[in-house]
């Protein structure tokens, strides 16, 4: 089986062979976009990603064997067109998680409150990250790319990827730390012991 770079190079003269690149990477591009924007936008962005890639295939760097970083980089840039949808999706994270929680014992209410609070804090921190830091983090976490591939996808040096990930992780860690006023052991109950008998 030919690596992506050979397939893309061949597709310049034989356009039909580009379908091989689509077959290999459509699922991972779709999954990455769906995690960021939701299923409703993933199909459109994925399709547009491959249209852009097909149009730009003659400019592909044939020294890079895998087209995955290139494709995820294109998808990331296209998602900026859908920034409004992404913001709505992040706001919906808390509501979606809350809807998935089933009623259980009252002793677990405190843990749910803390989890919901943490989810809101992390979602807010993710929204506040600079766009390039968020893109870098999500290419790493959801795109499953290594540092070198992220650098290729974003057209930046690997040191920039490292510093962006470090900065994003630091901000998310800070957001995850509950302040002393938020840390409650009894969650406002007068008696912390279970109330069932």
């Amino acid at each position: 089986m030919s690596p992506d770079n050979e397939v893309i190079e061949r597709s310049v003269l034989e356009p039909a062979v580009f379908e091989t690149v689509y077959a290999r990477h459509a699922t991972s591009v779709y999954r990455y976009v769906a995690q960021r924007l939701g299923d409703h936008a993933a199909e459109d962005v994925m399709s547009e990603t491959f249209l852009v890639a097909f149009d730009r295939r003659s400019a592909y760097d044939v020294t890079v064997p895998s087209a995955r970083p290139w494709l995820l980089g294109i998808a990331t840039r296209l998602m900026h067109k859908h920034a409004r949808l992404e913001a709505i999706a992040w706001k919906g994270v808390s509501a979606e998680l809350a809807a998935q929680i089933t009623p259980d014992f009252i002793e677990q209410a405190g843990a749910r409150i803390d989890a919901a609070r943490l989810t809101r804090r992390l979602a807010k921190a993710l929204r506040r990250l600079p766009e390039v830091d968020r893109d870098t983090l999500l290419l790493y976490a959801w795109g499953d790319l290594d540092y070198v591939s992220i650098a290729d996808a974003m057209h930046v040096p690997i040191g920039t990827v490292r510093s962006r990930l470090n900065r994003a992780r630091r901000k998310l860690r800070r957001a995850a730390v509950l302040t002393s006023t938020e840390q409650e052991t009894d969650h406002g109950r007068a008696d912390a012991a279970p109330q069932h008998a």
Side-chain angles (χ1 to χ4, degrees):
M1 183 175 4
S2 300
D4 294 339
N5 57 346
E6 291 177 14
V7 173
I8 292 170
E9 190 173 31
R10 245 182 58 219
S11 75
V12 172
L13 297 176
E14 303 171 50
V17 300
F18 193 80
E19 190 278 331
T20 303
V21 175
Y22 177 87
R24 288 178 186 171
H25 300 289
T27 301
S28 64
V29 170
Y30 179 91
R31 193 176 313 121
Y32 172 67
V33 176
Q35 287 176 309
R36 290 196 61 177
L37 299 181
D39 290 330
H40 61 283
E43 189 69 38
D44 290 340
V45 173
M46 182 202 64
S47 298
E48 194 175 348
T49 296
F50 283 96
L51 284 173
V52 169
F54 182 79
D55 288 343
R56 296 181 183 167
R57 68 192 188 280
S58 61
Y60 182 76
D61 180 358
V62 293
T63 64
V64 180
S66 174
R68 195 161 161 263
W70 178 59
L71 293 167
L72 291 180
I74 292 170
T76 299
R77 286 185 289 284
L78 290 173
M79 283 188 289
H80 293 296
K81 290 181 180 179
H82 300 272
R84 185 181 64 79
L85 292 175
E86 185 177 3
I88 291 168
W90 281 118
K91 288 178 184 173
V93 166
S94 296
E96 184 179 328
L97 287 175
Q100 293 173 3
I101 296 175
T102 57
D104 55 23
F105 301 108
I106 197 161
E107 300 87 45
Q108 296 174 356
R112 289 195 316 268
I113 291 168
D114 290 343
R117 186 177 293 141
L118 179 60
T119 299
R120 283 191 305 273
R121 290 173 64 99
L122 289 174
K124 186 177 180 180
L126 280 167
R127 280 193 308 271
R128 287 185 171 175
L129 284 176
E131 195 172 83
V132 292
D133 290 355
R134 185 174 51 245
D135 289 342
T136 303
L137 178 67
L138 296 177
L139 281 168
Y140 180 77
W142 290 348
D144 199 29
L145 294 181
D146 60 19
Y147 288 22
V148 172
S149 298
I150 294 169
D152 289 343
M154 299 192 78
H155 308 292
V156 296
I158 194 166
T160 302
V161 171
R162 285 189 179 103
S163 66
R164 287 177 182 174
L165 284 174
N166 184 39
R167 188 170 43 243
R169 287 177 180 136
R170 226 178 25 252
K171 288 179 181 178
L172 291 177
R173 274 191 215 105
R174 242 188 326 247
V177 175
L178 298 175
T179 65
S180 58
T181 59
E182 291 175 316
Q183 293 175 333
E184 302 177 34
T185 54
D186 65 4
H187 301 283
R189 293 189 342 218
D191 180 6
Q195 297 297 314
H196 56 82

